[in-house]
Amino acid sequence: MGQTSGHQERSEKPEVAPSKVMEAEIEVQNKKEETKEVKAKNQKLISVFGLADLKNEAIGLYNLGQSCCLNSLLQVFLMNIHFTRILRRITVPPSPAQRRSNVPYQMLLLLEKMQSGKCKAVGPTELACCLSEHRVELFVQHDAAQLFLTLWNLLKKQMKKPELVKELRDLYTICIQEHVACQKCSFEVKSKSTMLTLPLPVLDANSHRLKTLEDCLQYFFHPEELTGQNMCFCQQCGRKTPFLQSMKLVHLPQTLTLHLKRFCFERSSRTHKLSHSLPFPQELDLRQVLAESQCQADDNEKATWHYELFAVVAHSGSASCGHYCAYIRSLTDCKWYCFNDSEVCQVSWDDVKCTYGRSNLYWRETAYLLFYMKKHPQQPWPGLSGCL
């Protein structure tokens, strides 16, 4: 009995001890692999936008009741990698009440919800409630250009880190120089200002249709004579005189936003939608579009004015009743997607071109906001540090 028992003890030790060692080694190895996997995943999340890029699926947003305009703009913001890199570095508000009313924080939560979920669409309910606290009405039709400005101002106001506010300005703001010159003497006033979008007319002063986006840009920067009732007071002449008003482009941001002024007021005070065809290019080089007299920038600045179309916010329907959707080109797979609230699908460039517009078909999708992104981004321009 004793020999048998002793033999059993000696035989168990070589079997049990290596098993524990092996389990410990496997556990350590698994932890190392998990750590590497988590680090790799986090690094990928920092550099690309969420589930849409990680799983080749685009995540939609449920319509909460006429929230198509908000949904389209949110998709444009959150699919912009340069914007999400800023958003990820915001300061988290300390109290629950502050977090509920903080637009950047609620937008970040929505981004994380879109990235971590397995659903085809998520609801932006918390963000919509947050916006309502800032007088952004729910369940009403919004104008995309106005709502874009409202969202941007709230983001800028509530980002507490000055360096992030500056990055946000550098990412979106356009710098121009305004010139007003008396036609009777040499008196001239110059002033610099910034804009979030370039509001481009689609008709000229004689109500003639402008044929291309390039025509709209050239017309926007074309000098305008201020005569008759529009004359200005000249300090040098001491009376009202004809003036020449013009704008010159000084600096363009990494993401350039163009607002096609498709809605106009008629004499009856009713808003009318202009749906005629207006082609826009996939690539836009402002150096080839604007004349030398329409620019106030050096060669280094102009060298960065080569853009590629990133997104289109399109409107269908009439001025009083309509629907918004967004066409966005993924920055990772370079494919176009249509974001129509909760429905998202891959589309072609020919599908995007359908938003050029067509006369007398007001219900068709018509491009309203165009977002272009620099092909060769440069360092943030120091001249914007004091703007806006």
Side-chain angles (χ1 to χ4, degrees):
M1 290 286 291
Q3 288 182 349
T4 306
S5 177
H7 178 72
Q8 287 176 346
E9 282 184 11
R10 287 193 296 270
S11 64
E12 285 176 359
K13 285 180 181 178
E15 293 176 5
V16 175
S19 176
K20 289 181 178 179
V21 172
M22 288 176 64
E23 287 179 3
E25 288 179 350
I26 291 171
E27 186 176 352
V28 170
Q29 185 64 29
N30 287 341
K31 285 183 178 179
K32 287 182 179 179
E33 290 178 359
E34 286 178 5
T35 302
K36 289 181 180 179
E37 186 179 347
V38 170
K39 285 183 178 180
K41 183 179 180 182
N42 288 341
Q43 187 62 36
K44 195 168 186 179
L45 285 174
I46 291 173
S47 61
V48 299
F49 167 69
L51 209 61
D53 292 315
L54 293 177
K55 293 188 177 182
N56 292 321
E57 291 183 79
I59 306 303
L61 294 172
Y62 288 116
N63 193 313
L64 305 178
Q66 298 193 53
S67 64
C68 58
C69 182
L70 174 63
N71 288 347
S72 297
L73 292 174
L74 288 176
Q75 295 286 15
V76 173
F77 271 118
L78 298 179
M79 285 291 282
N80 188 335
I81 293 170
H82 307 284
F83 172 76
T84 57
R85 284 174 179 167
I86 297 173
L87 192 65
R88 289 182 180 280
R89 290 182 284 131
I90 64 171
T91 302
V92 177
S95 70
Q98 289 174 320
R99 290 194 286 270
R100 282 194 300 269
S101 62
N102 188 274
V103 174
Y105 178 72
Q106 291 298 329
M107 194 176 286
L108 179 61
L109 288 185
L110 179 62
L111 173 65
E112 296 299 329
K113 188 177 179 181
M114 296 171 78
Q115 290 183 341
S116 61
K118 296 181 179 179
C119 303
K120 294 288 185 180
V122 298
T125 309
E126 291 80 5
L127 176 57
C129 292
C130 171
L131 291 171
S132 69
E133 292 187 26
H134 299 282
R135 299 181 181 180
V136 178
E137 293 184 72
L138 302 179
F139 316 117
V140 298
Q141 180 174 279
H142 287 279
D143 178 87
Q146 293 177 357
L147 186 57
F148 178 65
L149 177 61
T150 299
L151 290 173
W152 190 86
N153 281 330
L154 286 170
L155 287 164
K156 179 171 64 73
K157 180 181 179 181
Q158 294 188 307
M159 282 187 179
K160 300 302 181 183
K161 294 181 180 179
E163 64 272 21
L164 296 186
V165 175
K166 183 182 182 302
E167 286 184 37
L168 188 65
R169 288 170 175 160
D170 291 336
L171 182 58
Y172 285 106
T173 52
I174 305 155
C175 187
I176 62 171
Q177 187 174 72
E178 298 180 65
H179 291 247
V180 182
C182 176
Q183 297 292 76
K184 297 293 184 181
C185 67
S186 58
F187 179 75
E188 184 178 20
V189 177
K190 298 179 183 179
S191 61
K192 281 188 178 180
S193 62
T194 54
M195 311 172 75
L196 183 62
T197 68
L198 286 182
L200 303 180
V202 296
L203 301 177
D204 64 16
N206 298 315
S207 297
H208 294 150
R209 296 172 179 176
L210 297 172
K211 296 181 179 180
T212 65
L213 179 67
E214 292 86 345
D215 291 340
C216 296
L217 284 162
Q218 290 171 356
Y219 186 76
F220 180 80
F221 287 98
H222 188 74
E224 179 184 1
E225 291 187 358
L226 304 178
T227 59
Q229 295 181 346
N230 296 322
M231 289 194 301
C232 302
F233 182 83
C234 176
Q235 296 179 9
Q236 192 162 299
C237 296
R239 59 188 176 87
K240 283 190 173 183
T241 60
F243 269 68
L244 188 66
Q245 183 182 46
S246 62
M247 288 187 291
K248 296 186 178 182
L249 197 53
V250 177
H251 170 75
L252 288 176
Q254 196 278 337
T255 302
L256 173 63
T257 309
L258 305 179
H259 170 205
L260 301 179
K261 298 174 69 176
R262 290 282 193 177
F263 301 107
C264 65
F265 289 100
E266 296 178 332
R267 292 182 180 179
S268 60
S269 298
R270 294 181 60 184
T271 305
H272 175 67
K273 182 179 176 181
L274 303 170
S275 299
H276 64 271
S277 178
L278 185 74
F280 47 85
Q282 287 196 72
E283 291 196 19
L284 180 66
D285 191 343
L286 273 295
R287 297 170 299 177
Q288 306 297 324
V289 176
L290 300 180
E292 191 70 28
S293 59
Q294 296 173 321
C295 306
Q296 190 70 40
D298 58 28
D299 291 338
N300 289 333
E301 166 66 25
K302 290 180 182 178
T304 68
W305 288 3
H306 192 186
Y307 284 85
E308 192 167 13
L309 188 63
F310 164 63
V312 178
V313 172
H315 178 270
S316 57
S318 65
S320 58
C321 181
H323 178 73
Y324 286 100
C325 69
Y327 293 85
I328 304 174
R329 183 177 59 85
S330 169
L331 297 180
T332 55
D333 63 15
C334 297
K335 295 177 181 177
W336 282 96
Y337 294 88
C338 177
F339 293 79
N340 188 2
D341 288 330
S342 59
E343 298 296 324
V344 183
C345 62
Q346 186 180 333
V347 295
S348 66
W349 171 241
D350 286 336
D351 294 318
V352 180
K353 289 196 296 183
C354 289
T355 66
Y356 283 174
R358 189 173 175 183
S359 297
N360 301 322
L361 289 179
Y362 304 111
W363 53 272
R364 291 289 295 272
E365 287 182 346
T366 307
Y368 188 53
L369 293 177
L370 302 175
F371 297 83
Y372 281 87
M373 198 167 285
K374 278 186 177 178
K375 292 199 69 174
H376 307 289
Q378 64 170 7
Q379 293 297 319
W381 189 61
L384 283 180
S385 57
C387 296
L388 285 184

XYZ file of all heavy atoms in Angstrom, residues 288-369:
665
model
N -7.860 77.412 -61.118
C -8.289 77.409 -62.507
C -9.649 78.099 -62.691
O -10.047 78.384 -63.821
C -8.390 75.957 -63.016
C -7.128 75.152 -62.830
C -5.957 75.710 -63.628
O -6.134 76.209 -64.738
N -4.766 75.636 -63.058
N -10.343 78.349 -61.589
C -11.689 78.919 -61.672
C -11.679 80.430 -61.507
O -12.312 81.158 -62.281
C -12.605 78.276 -60.595
C -13.981 78.936 -60.600
C -12.726 76.780 -60.837
N -10.953 80.913 -60.498
C -10.975 82.343 -60.172
C -9.853 83.093 -60.879
O -8.755 82.569 -61.079
C -10.856 82.541 -58.665
C -11.956 81.902 -57.809
C -11.709 82.191 -56.350
C -13.330 82.389 -58.229
N -10.132 84.340 -61.222
C -9.134 85.203 -61.840
C -8.158 85.712 -60.778
O -8.450 85.680 -59.582
C -9.814 86.383 -62.529
N -7.018 86.181 -61.216
C -6.003 86.696 -60.299
C -6.552 87.850 -59.461
O -6.232 87.983 -58.274
C -4.772 87.165 -61.094
C -3.559 87.482 -60.245
C -2.932 86.245 -59.618
O -3.053 85.156 -60.211
O -2.337 86.387 -58.538
N -7.401 88.675 -60.062
C -7.969 89.828 -59.356
C -8.990 89.423 -58.286
O -9.388 90.249 -57.466
C -8.639 90.773 -60.355
O -9.672 90.095 -61.067
N -9.421 88.159 -58.297
C -10.396 87.684 -57.328
C -9.750 86.975 -56.138
O -10.457 86.452 -55.276
C -11.387 86.732 -58.018
C -12.221 87.408 -59.096
C -13.070 86.422 -59.891
O -12.634 85.318 -60.197
N -14.285 86.830 -60.208
N -8.430 86.999 -56.096
C -7.697 86.319 -55.025
C -6.756 87.287 -54.323
O -6.218 88.210 -54.941
C -6.890 85.138 -55.572
S -7.869 83.958 -56.520
N -6.567 87.064 -53.051
C -5.627 87.842 -52.260
C -4.803 86.851 -51.440
O -4.860 86.817 -50.214
C -6.371 88.817 -51.344
C -5.506 89.860 -50.634
C -4.964 90.901 -51.588
O -5.667 91.347 -52.495
N -3.713 91.281 -51.404
N -4.063 86.002 -52.142
C -3.315 84.933 -51.486
C -1.990 84.713 -52.207
O -1.860 84.979 -53.404
C -4.138 83.647 -51.491
N -1.002 84.199 -51.446
C 0.302 83.925 -52.050
C 0.276 82.561 -52.741
O -0.698 81.811 -52.657
C 1.421 83.999 -51.007
C 1.209 83.038 -49.845
O 0.568 81.986 -50.051
O 1.682 83.326 -48.725
N 1.366 82.240 -53.404
C 1.428 80.998 -54.186
C 1.347 79.755 -53.305
O 0.778 78.735 -53.715
C 2.723 80.966 -55.014
C 2.709 82.008 -56.142
O 1.598 82.424 -56.521
O 3.797 82.392 -56.606
N 1.918 79.823 -52.093
C 1.860 78.669 -51.186
C 0.428 78.357 -50.785
O 0.036 77.191 -50.707
C 2.710 78.930 -49.933
C 4.192 78.921 -50.233
O 4.645 78.276 -51.175
N 4.964 79.637 -49.427
N -0.354 79.394 -50.539
C -1.760 79.199 -50.183
C -2.541 78.648 -51.378
O -3.300 77.686 -51.249
C -2.358 80.524 -49.717
C -3.873 80.555 -49.629
C -4.450 79.635 -48.569
O -3.747 79.313 -47.595
O -5.612 79.219 -48.725
N -2.328 79.232 -52.549
C -3.065 78.796 -53.735
C -2.734 77.361 -54.130
O -3.569 76.666 -54.722
C -2.755 79.731 -54.912
C -3.333 81.125 -54.775
C -2.966 81.970 -55.993
C -3.494 83.380 -55.874
N -3.106 84.217 -57.030
N -1.536 76.920 -53.786
C -1.126 75.555 -54.138
C -1.993 74.504 -53.449
O -2.028 73.344 -53.879
C 0.340 75.338 -53.786
N -2.702 74.909 -52.387
C -3.543 73.952 -51.645
C -5.005 74.022 -52.071
O -5.852 73.371 -51.460
C -3.461 74.235 -50.133
O -4.092 75.498 -49.842
C -2.022 74.272 -49.656
N -5.329 74.784 -53.098
C -6.719 75.007 -53.487
C -7.245 73.943 -54.452
O -8.098 74.210 -55.282
C -6.876 76.397 -54.098
C -6.768 77.498 -53.081
C -6.496 77.383 -51.758
C -6.934 78.901 -53.323
N -6.478 78.606 -51.151
C -6.747 79.564 -52.091
C -7.216 79.665 -54.461
C -6.841 80.949 -51.957
C -7.299 81.043 -54.339
C -7.125 81.679 -53.097
N -6.738 72.744 -54.340
C -7.192 71.637 -55.179
C -8.067 70.727 -54.320
O -7.585 70.134 -53.346
C -6.001 70.873 -55.745
C -6.372 69.923 -56.837
N -5.481 69.037 -57.404
C -7.557 69.705 -57.482
C -6.091 68.331 -58.340
N -7.350 68.718 -58.396
N -9.338 70.592 -54.674
C -10.312 69.893 -53.840
C -10.928 68.698 -54.554
O -10.948 68.629 -55.784
C -11.434 70.856 -53.424
C -11.039 71.829 -52.344
C -10.395 73.021 -52.668
C -11.314 71.580 -51.009
C -10.024 73.921 -51.680
C -10.962 72.466 -50.020
C -10.318 73.636 -50.359
O -9.951 74.520 -49.372
N -11.457 67.784 -53.724
C -12.201 66.628 -54.221
C -13.535 66.568 -53.484
O -13.590 66.782 -52.266
C -11.401 65.347 -53.992
C -11.958 64.145 -54.735
C -10.974 62.985 -54.754
O -9.996 63.016 -53.998
O -11.199 62.047 -55.536
N -14.599 66.289 -54.204
C -15.932 66.275 -53.608
C -16.029 65.185 -52.540
O -15.689 64.029 -52.783
C -16.986 66.044 -54.684
C -18.454 66.184 -54.246
C -18.770 67.602 -53.787
C -19.385 65.778 -55.380
N -16.508 65.571 -51.362
C -16.637 64.651 -50.233
C -18.096 64.301 -49.942
O -18.424 63.145 -49.673
C -15.985 65.277 -48.993
C -16.380 64.629 -47.694
C -16.065 63.306 -47.440
C -17.060 65.346 -46.721
C -16.428 62.704 -46.233
C -17.423 64.761 -45.516
C -17.106 63.432 -45.271
N -18.992 65.286 -50.026
C -20.389 65.011 -49.678
C -21.322 65.992 -50.362
O -20.940 67.120 -50.694
C -20.586 65.076 -48.161
N -22.551 65.542 -50.559
C -23.626 66.357 -51.128
C -24.855 66.191 -50.248
O -25.296 65.054 -50.023
C -23.968 65.932 -52.574
C -25.129 66.774 -53.117
C -22.753 66.039 -53.475
N -25.380 67.282 -49.727
C -26.677 67.242 -49.045
C -27.716 67.690 -50.067
O -27.663 68.818 -50.572
C -26.705 68.147 -47.802
C -28.113 68.245 -47.235
C -25.753 67.601 -46.735
N -28.641 66.790 -50.395
C -29.612 67.036 -51.465
C -31.009 67.206 -50.886
O -31.354 66.607 -49.853
C -29.596 65.897 -52.472
N -31.808 68.024 -51.563
C -33.184 68.293 -51.145
C -34.133 67.858 -52.249
O -33.912 68.131 -53.431
C -33.375 69.784 -50.866
C -34.771 70.151 -50.466
N -35.735 70.509 -51.393
C -35.374 70.221 -49.253
C -36.863 70.787 -50.759
N -36.669 70.620 -49.473
N -35.186 67.163 -51.865
C -36.234 66.818 -52.816
C -37.551 67.387 -52.318
O -37.750 67.575 -51.120
C -36.349 65.294 -52.970
O -36.585 64.671 -51.721
N -38.455 67.685 -53.240
C -39.725 68.296 -52.872
C -39.741 69.778 -53.172
O -38.880 70.304 -53.884
N -40.694 70.478 -52.595
C -40.837 71.912 -52.820
C -40.198 72.685 -51.678
O -39.701 72.100 -50.709
C -42.320 72.275 -52.925
O -42.974 72.046 -51.686
N -40.234 74.016 -51.781
C -39.655 74.861 -50.740
C -40.418 74.749 -49.428
O -39.848 74.909 -48.353
C -39.629 76.311 -51.209
N -41.685 74.458 -49.495
C -42.513 74.393 -48.285
C -42.609 72.988 -47.696
O -42.936 72.830 -46.519
C -43.930 74.897 -48.591
O -44.521 74.126 -49.622
N -42.319 71.986 -48.500
C -42.428 70.604 -48.019
C -41.422 69.738 -48.779
O -41.503 69.632 -50.006
C -43.845 70.078 -48.223
S -44.093 68.390 -47.651
N -40.485 69.160 -48.059
C -39.473 68.382 -48.762
C -38.749 67.408 -47.857
O -39.130 67.187 -46.704
N -37.685 66.842 -48.390
C -36.935 65.800 -47.683
C -35.460 65.946 -48.033
O -35.091 66.286 -49.167
C -37.443 64.418 -48.093
C -36.701 63.300 -47.459
N -36.838 62.961 -46.125
C -35.794 62.420 -47.975
C -36.069 61.926 -45.849
N -35.425 61.580 -46.947
N -34.576 65.693 -47.044
C -33.132 65.756 -47.242
C -32.517 64.357 -47.157
O -32.978 63.506 -46.386
C -32.472 66.627 -46.168
C -32.679 68.108 -46.324
C -33.648 68.773 -45.577
C -31.894 68.860 -47.201
C -33.828 70.146 -45.696
C -32.066 70.231 -47.327
C -33.035 70.864 -46.576
O -33.204 72.224 -46.700
N -31.458 64.168 -47.935
C -30.605 62.999 -47.776
C -29.174 63.426 -48.090
O -28.949 64.529 -48.602
C -31.046 61.844 -48.675
S -30.775 62.137 -50.433
N -28.217 62.566 -47.776
C -26.806 62.916 -47.983
C -26.104 61.844 -48.802
O -26.302 60.640 -48.565
C -26.106 63.093 -46.641
N -25.309 62.280 -49.757
C -24.424 61.398 -50.507
C -23.012 61.679 -50.014
O -22.546 62.822 -50.082
C -24.518 61.662 -52.010
C -25.860 61.300 -52.616
C -26.921 62.206 -52.595
C -26.066 60.060 -53.213
C -28.153 61.882 -53.150
C -27.291 59.720 -53.771
C -28.329 60.639 -53.733
O -29.550 60.304 -54.274
N -22.335 60.647 -49.510
C -21.024 60.845 -48.897
C -20.040 59.825 -49.448
O -20.357 58.644 -49.570
C -21.107 60.721 -47.358
C -22.146 61.700 -46.797
C -19.743 60.974 -46.718
C -22.392 61.545 -45.306
N -18.852 60.312 -49.773
C -17.779 59.423 -50.248
C -16.930 59.015 -49.053
O -16.324 59.855 -48.384
C -16.921 60.128 -51.299
C -15.825 59.265 -51.904
C -15.080 60.029 -52.998
N -14.487 61.239 -52.483
C -13.299 61.307 -51.894
N -12.573 60.218 -51.753
N -12.832 62.460 -51.456
N -16.878 57.725 -48.766
C -16.079 57.225 -47.644
C -14.608 57.559 -47.862
O -14.072 57.365 -48.961
C -16.249 55.716 -47.506
O -15.304 55.181 -46.606
N -13.955 58.048 -46.822
C -12.544 58.402 -46.927
C -11.630 57.188 -46.809
O -10.419 57.321 -46.962
C -12.185 59.422 -45.836
C -12.916 60.771 -45.934
C -12.488 61.690 -44.814
C -12.677 61.429 -47.289
N -12.203 56.015 -46.546
C -11.383 54.804 -46.448
C -11.495 53.921 -47.682
O -10.487 53.445 -48.193
C -11.761 53.992 -45.197
O -13.166 53.731 -45.226
C -11.418 54.757 -43.931
N -12.706 53.702 -48.167
C -12.834 52.842 -49.354
C -13.139 53.638 -50.623
O -13.245 53.061 -51.702
C -13.887 51.754 -49.140
C -15.292 52.313 -48.931
O -15.532 53.509 -49.230
O -16.163 51.569 -48.464
N -13.283 54.968 -50.483
C -13.502 55.877 -51.622
C -14.763 55.543 -52.420
O -14.864 55.894 -53.599
C -12.285 55.890 -52.549
S -10.802 56.530 -51.750
N -15.725 54.876 -51.777
C -16.997 54.568 -52.426
C -18.068 55.545 -51.959
O -18.023 56.053 -50.839
C -17.418 53.131 -52.105
C -16.474 52.074 -52.665
C -16.905 50.679 -52.250
C -15.933 49.630 -52.786
N -16.302 48.252 -52.339
N -19.045 55.799 -52.824
C -20.140 56.702 -52.508
C -21.279 55.935 -51.840
O -21.603 54.820 -52.233
C -20.652 57.390 -53.773
C -19.788 58.517 -54.243
C -18.819 58.470 -55.190
C -19.820 59.869 -53.769
N -18.235 59.703 -55.347
C -18.835 60.590 -54.496
C -20.588 60.553 -52.822
C -18.597 61.948 -54.282
C -20.348 61.899 -52.605
C -19.367 62.582 -53.326
N -21.866 56.575 -50.810
C -23.015 56.000 -50.109
C -24.125 57.045 -50.033
O -23.853 58.248 -49.883
C -22.635 55.559 -48.692
C -21.648 54.416 -48.658
C -20.276 54.651 -48.685
C -22.085 53.091 -48.609
C -19.365 53.607 -48.663
C -21.181 52.036 -48.584
C -19.818 52.306 -48.613
O -18.922 51.264 -48.595
N -25.344 56.575 -50.110
C -26.497 57.444 -49.919
C -27.062 57.192 -48.527
O -27.437 56.056 -48.192
C -27.574 57.184 -50.974
S -29.074 58.175 -50.728
N -27.107 58.251 -47.709
C -27.654 58.173 -46.355
C -29.041 58.812 -46.374
O -29.175 60.038 -46.408
C -26.751 58.904 -45.361
C -25.397 58.258 -45.166
C -24.385 58.455 -46.097
C -25.149 57.461 -44.065
C -23.139 57.871 -45.924
C -23.910 56.861 -43.891
C -22.909 57.068 -44.814
N -30.054 57.977 -46.354
C -31.440 58.432 -46.387
C -32.111 57.988 -45.087
O -32.779 56.965 -45.032
C -32.151 57.857 -47.611
C -33.540 58.440 -47.808
O -33.978 59.309 -47.062
N -34.238 57.962 -48.823
N -31.870 58.777 -44.025
C -32.313 58.414 -42.674
C -31.769 57.029 -42.305
O -30.565 56.822 -42.333
C -33.833 58.490 -42.561
C -34.346 59.933 -42.563
O -33.605 60.817 -42.101
O -35.465 60.167 -43.039
N -32.650 56.070 -42.005
C -32.186 54.751 -41.569
C -31.725 53.868 -42.730
O -31.071 52.849 -42.511
C -33.297 54.026 -40.796
O -34.444 53.869 -41.612
N -32.063 54.250 -43.956
C -31.673 53.463 -45.129
C -30.349 53.981 -45.700
O -30.221 55.164 -46.001
C -32.758 53.540 -46.197
C -34.091 52.966 -45.769
C -34.030 51.479 -45.483
O -33.282 50.773 -46.207
O -34.696 51.023 -44.536
N -29.395 53.086 -45.842
C -28.087 53.438 -46.394
C -27.720 52.410 -47.450
O -27.881 51.209 -47.240
C -26.997 53.464 -45.295
C -25.663 53.909 -45.884
C -27.402 54.376 -44.151
N -27.226 52.903 -48.581
C -26.816 51.975 -49.639
C -25.662 52.574 -50.426
O -25.485 53.797 -50.471
C -27.987 51.656 -50.565
S -28.645 53.098 -51.456
N -24.878 51.691 -51.030
C -23.784 52.142 -51.879
C -24.347 52.599 -53.219
O -25.265 51.982 -53.769
C -22.775 51.022 -52.091
C -21.529 51.461 -52.853
C -20.543 50.315 -53.046
O -20.504 49.381 -52.243
N -19.763 50.385 -54.106
N -23.807 53.705 -53.733
C -24.275 54.266 -54.998
C -23.080 54.566 -55.898
O -21.929 54.467 -55.477
C -25.108 55.556 -54.776
C -26.395 55.252 -54.023
C -24.295 56.614 -54.041
N -23.377 54.954 -57.119
C -22.333 55.300 -58.083
C -22.266 56.813 -58.263
O -23.144 57.555 -57.804
C -22.631 54.635 -59.430
O -23.817 55.194 -59.994
N -21.242 57.273 -58.966
C -21.128 58.696 -59.267
C -22.291 59.152 -60.144
O -22.768 60.280 -60.011
C -19.789 58.994 -59.933
C -19.671 60.396 -60.473
C -19.474 60.776 -61.760
C -19.763 61.613 -59.711
N -19.426 62.141 -61.873
C -19.607 62.683 -60.627
C -19.964 61.905 -58.372
C -19.641 64.023 -60.235
C -20.006 63.247 -57.972
C -19.841 64.285 -58.901
N -22.777 58.289 -60.997
C -23.944 58.632 -61.815
C -25.166 58.905 -60.943
O -25.982 59.772 -61.263
C -24.258 57.503 -62.805
C -23.267 57.456 -63.960
O -22.653 58.500 -64.252
O -23.107 56.382 -64.564
N -25.295 58.177 -59.836
C -26.393 58.444 -58.904
C -26.241 59.812 -58.262
O -27.220 60.541 -58.079
C -26.438 57.367 -57.815
C -26.786 55.998 -58.359
O -27.691 55.921 -59.203
O -26.151 55.014 -57.950
N -25.005 60.162 -57.911
C -24.752 61.476 -57.305
C -25.063 62.581 -58.306
O -25.627 63.620 -57.950
C -23.290 61.584 -56.811
C -23.027 62.954 -56.180
C -22.980 60.473 -55.814
N -24.728 62.362 -59.569
C -24.977 63.369 -60.606
C -26.464 63.638 -60.818
O -26.834 64.668 -61.379
C -24.326 62.944 -61.927
C -22.810 63.030 -61.922
C -22.215 62.982 -63.331
C -22.490 61.674 -64.020
N -21.837 61.610 -65.354
N -27.301 62.722 -60.366
C -28.748 62.946 -60.470
C -29.207 64.127 -59.622
O -30.326 64.626 -59.801
C -29.514 61.686 -60.051
S -29.372 60.322 -61.238
N -28.349 64.586 -58.704
C -28.697 65.737 -57.867
C -28.323 67.064 -58.534
O -28.440 68.113 -57.907
C -28.003 65.654 -56.492
O -26.581 65.773 -56.664
C -28.317 64.341 -55.806
N -27.862 67.017 -59.775
C -27.580 68.264 -60.507
C -28.836 69.138 -60.595
O -28.758 70.350 -60.633
C -27.108 67.955 -61.934
C -25.673 67.481 -62.055
C -25.184 67.047 -63.290
C -24.809 67.459 -60.965
C -23.874 66.611 -63.432
C -23.508 67.024 -61.100
C -23.043 66.608 -62.334
O -21.747 66.177 -62.477
N -30.002 68.501 -60.667
C -31.264 69.224 -60.807
C -31.832 69.087 -62.203
O -31.158 68.662 -63.140
N -33.091 69.461 -62.313
C -33.762 69.402 -63.597
C -34.958 70.345 -63.566
O -35.745 70.328 -62.624
C -34.222 67.971 -63.901
C -34.748 67.773 -65.308
C -35.013 66.303 -65.560
N -35.638 66.089 -66.868
C -36.021 64.908 -67.316
N -35.848 63.823 -66.564
N -36.587 64.788 -68.511
N -35.081 71.170 -64.582
C -36.129 72.188 -64.606
C -37.519 71.582 -64.482
O -37.817 70.533 -65.056
C -36.042 72.995 -65.910
O -34.811 73.683 -65.984
N -38.335 72.272 -63.684
C -39.768 71.966 -63.523
C -40.044 70.638 -62.825
O -41.186 70.193 -62.792
C -40.486 71.985 -64.883
C -40.357 73.331 -65.566
O -40.407 74.371 -64.912
N -40.180 73.312 -66.870
N -39.005 69.998 -62.291
C -39.218 68.774 -61.516
C -38.802 69.059 -60.075
O -37.746 68.650 -59.615
C -38.416 67.609 -62.100
C -38.915 67.054 -63.439
C -38.012 65.923 -63.918
C -40.352 66.553 -63.334
N -39.626 69.800 -59.375
C -39.271 70.283 -58.048
C -39.157 69.152 -57.027
O -38.510 69.297 -56.010
C -40.309 71.302 -57.568
C -40.483 72.448 -58.538
C -41.661 72.591 -59.262
C -39.459 73.365 -58.750
C -41.817 73.637 -60.162
C -39.601 74.410 -59.645
C -40.779 74.538 -60.345
O -40.931 75.567 -61.243
N -39.831 68.047 -57.290
C -39.822 66.950 -56.323
C -38.560 66.115 -56.412
O -38.267 65.326 -55.527
C -41.040 66.048 -56.564
C -41.170 65.571 -57.980
C -41.806 66.203 -59.003
C -40.629 64.376 -58.538
N -41.703 65.486 -60.165
C -40.992 64.348 -59.912
C -39.888 63.322 -58.022
C -40.611 63.317 -60.753
C -39.515 62.285 -58.871
C -39.885 62.288 -60.222
N -37.772 66.280 -57.475
C -36.548 65.506 -57.631
C -35.454 66.007 -56.696
O -35.432 67.157 -56.290
C -36.061 65.599 -59.080
C -36.950 64.893 -60.081
C -36.864 63.383 -59.958
N -35.540 62.883 -60.293
C -35.152 62.558 -61.518
N -35.976 62.684 -62.535
N -33.940 62.096 -61.728
N -34.506 65.132 -56.373
C -33.381 65.528 -55.521
C -32.511 66.552 -56.231
O -32.157 66.388 -57.396
C -32.538 64.297 -55.160
C -33.203 63.377 -54.155
C -32.325 62.208 -53.803
O -31.333 61.980 -54.519
O -32.635 61.518 -52.837
N -32.170 67.601 -55.498
C -31.354 68.676 -56.038
C -30.283 69.037 -55.016
O -30.594 69.262 -53.841
C -32.207 69.923 -56.334
O -33.313 69.551 -57.157
C -31.397 70.977 -57.051
N -29.039 69.081 -55.437
C -27.942 69.402 -54.527
C -28.160 70.772 -53.898
O -28.502 71.739 -54.585
C -26.619 69.369 -55.282
N -27.956 70.848 -52.589
C -28.150 72.100 -51.860
C -26.868 72.542 -51.139
O -26.510 73.706 -51.158
C -29.287 71.927 -50.865
C -29.720 73.203 -50.175
C -30.050 74.336 -50.915
C -29.803 73.282 -48.796
C -30.444 75.508 -50.291
C -30.204 74.453 -48.166
C -30.524 75.560 -48.916
O -30.910 76.721 -48.301
N -26.168 71.599 -50.506
C -24.869 71.864 -49.884
C -23.833 70.925 -50.483
O -24.077 69.721 -50.615
C -24.925 71.657 -48.373
C -25.776 72.612 -47.536
C -25.753 72.187 -46.074
C -25.299 74.041 -47.684
